[in-house]
Amino acid sequence: MTLIVEDGTGKSDANGYATAAEVTAYFAASGGSAAWTAASSDAKDEAIVRATRYLDGFYGGRFIGLRTSSTQALEWPRANAYDRDGFAHDYAVPAALKAGTAEAALRSLTADLLADGSTEAAVLEEEVAVGPLKTRKKYAGANPSGARSYAAVAKAIDRLVEPPGTVYRA
């Protein structure tokens, strides 16, 4: 798989928000990651593509601003993209998004970020029927999408997403 990194121009064929070198530099600056360092070049590129798909799929509807073009392949770059502190992230791939890509790419080396989930709820509590007594079960809520939020990813891109429940601002 060929990694094509978005450069802020709204490429129609982009499939990644960061280069492998940028992700490597990110981990080098934060103490390193043995799993990232040990991965092959191809595995790193594939992880970045999976991470980008995850970010767009899981957070895409909540990113600040608006896509700059109907022909761009990814959710970024964006126009009118002002974070909660009022800083503009227009027509660029913000450093925070590259950091989120790095964190998600690391996880994608060992896990399927957008795995299909079970629609069945987990049983938390169960009582066994004895004689005239009936069985009682208590269930946890199901996660039909299987998609997960990862704390390190969410923290990295926090300023680039609207809080849950935010109504679109024109």
Side-chain angles (χ1 to χ4, degrees):
M1 170 179 297
T2 302
L3 174 63
I4 302 168
V5 178
E6 175 58 57
D7 60 6
T9 62
K11 291 181 173 184
S12 63
D13 59 349
N15 59 7
Y17 285 127
T19 65
E22 288 172 319
V23 174
T24 300
Y26 171 83
F27 286 121
S30 63
S33 165
W36 183 259
T37 302
S40 70
S41 293
D42 287 344
K44 289 176 181 178
D45 287 353
E46 290 168 6
I48 291 167
V49 170
R50 287 190 303 270
T52 300
R53 284 186 193 144
Y54 168 78
L55 288 166
D56 279 2
F58 196 79
Y59 294 100
R62 293 180 32 217
F63 281 133
I64 57 176
L66 302 168
R67 289 168 37 113
T68 60
S69 167
S70 63
T71 60
Q72 71 189 58
L74 303 175
E75 289 293 325
W76 288 82
R78 299 182 75 80
N80 299 316
Y82 293 92
D83 67 22
R84 289 187 290 274
D85 292 326
F87 295 110
H89 299 282
D90 290 352
Y91 301 95
V93 177
L97 189 60
K98 290 178 183 284
T101 302
E103 292 290 350
L106 177 62
R107 276 147 191 81
S108 79
L109 289 174
T110 59
D112 186 354
L113 299 174
L114 291 172
D116 289 338
S118 170
T119 58
E120 296 180 18
V123 177
L124 295 179
E125 194 176 292
E126 182 175 350
E127 289 183 22
V128 178
V130 177
L133 299 175
K134 296 180 181 179
T135 301
R136 184 185 74 147
K137 293 183 179 182
K138 182 177 178 182
Y139 294 92
N143 180 5
S145 72
R148 297 181 49 172
S149 173
Y150 297 91
V153 176
K155 183 176 181 187
I157 66 167
D158 179 57
R159 296 199 176 281
L160 304 178
V161 295
E162 297 286 356
T166 300
V167 177
Y168 173 74
R169 297 173 300 194

